[in-house]
Amino acid sequence: MSPATGSPARKKRPRVYDPVRTRAAVLAQFGHVREIVGGLREEQLDRPAALGEWTVRELAAHMSMAVGSLVRALREPAPGRAEVSLAQWPFATGTHAGQIADDSSRLAASAPVAELYARVADEVAQVLPGAEDDRIVATRVGAMRFGDFLVTRTVELVVHSDDLARATGLVVPFDRQALAACTRLLADALAVKAPGASTEVRIPPYAVVQCVEGPRHTRGTPPNVVETDPLTWIRLATGRTQWADAIEEAQVRASGERADLVGVLPIMG
């Protein structure tokens, strides 16, 4: 029952993503990354990426692999049914981190980065336009709808575009739709990880979610509010930025006794 109204709480419907915009966002962000990576010198590619033992070269290879996985998923036989929903995906990736890192390192050693990106761009151009969003595809974390898998690629690209920018000191543009989809998926994952309606998390202009157990607020300004910008949110959700640091540097505004999210962050690593 809803504490505020005494009526049954309605289950929130999953967020719907426009497949046309998602396709365009993935291609646009991949294009931004390809342009930056194509201009890197060997010395820049060999710099540490501040992600474990990865170099910038391995980070770049990983991003090409993340988009190339769309092609591999569409070329494999379709599984019988979906096993992983979009809301479950952020929590399913961590157990595969070691294998992902190994595969990225092998890919980086297999060919020049520019060649990897050219190959993926050609393959995606061939298979993506005709792909059906409701088709079930095999992914590393389990079978998913292709449309959902496509949304997860915006997270991979946006998060690692930010990693690439910080590792190289270069400006990597963010496609607006890719940034929006990434922000929303990670915000929705927070609501799954910490269900409730006592705290409102605002990430303008892309997302507002309610989370954390406690009294439900229905009118006026909620007593517990967290607000931040999309890039800070993405860094918090993926462990690139710590909650205490974001608060100290005024990157997050938090008010109310249930507005401390340190216990539920990060969402994914």
Side-chain angles (χ1 to χ4, degrees), residues 58 61 98-111 116 140:
E58 288 165 317
Q99 187 62 56
I100 292 171
D102 291 344
D103 290 347
S104 299
S105 295
R106 282 193 292 270
L107 183 63
S110 70
L116 296 178
R140 193 184 294 270

Side-chain angles (χ1 to χ4, degrees), residues 15-103:
R15 192 186 300 272
V16 176
Y17 293 83
D18 184 324
V20 174
R21 290 185 176 183
T22 305
R23 278 170 166 74
V26 169
L27 294 175
Q29 192 61 40
F30 184 67
H32 291 324
V33 174
R34 183 183 180 186
E35 183 174 354
I36 295 295
V37 168
L40 295 178
R41 303 184 302 275
E42 289 297 307
E43 174 270 328
Q44 292 173 300
L45 288 167
D46 289 334
R47 290 179 183 174
L51 295 169
E53 298 181 354
W54 271 3
T55 62
V56 171
R57 187 188 309 277
E58 288 165 317
L59 170 59
H62 173 74
M63 283 191 278
S64 75
M65 184 176 73
V67 177
S69 63
L70 293 170
V71 177
R72 293 189 293 275
L74 289 169
R75 287 178 175 171
E76 292 181 3
R81 60 185 179 84
E83 301 167 331
V84 180
S85 69
L86 185 55
Q88 294 169 326
W89 176 81
F91 311 110
T93 59
T95 57
H96 301 273
Q99 187 62 56
I100 292 171
D102 291 344
D103 290 347

Side-chain angles (χ1 to χ4, degrees), residues 124-143:
V124 168
Q126 293 175 24
V127 304
L128 193 58
E132 297 180 359
D133 292 291
D134 287 331
R135 175 180 171 171
I136 307 302
V137 295
T139 77
R140 193 184 294 270
V141 301

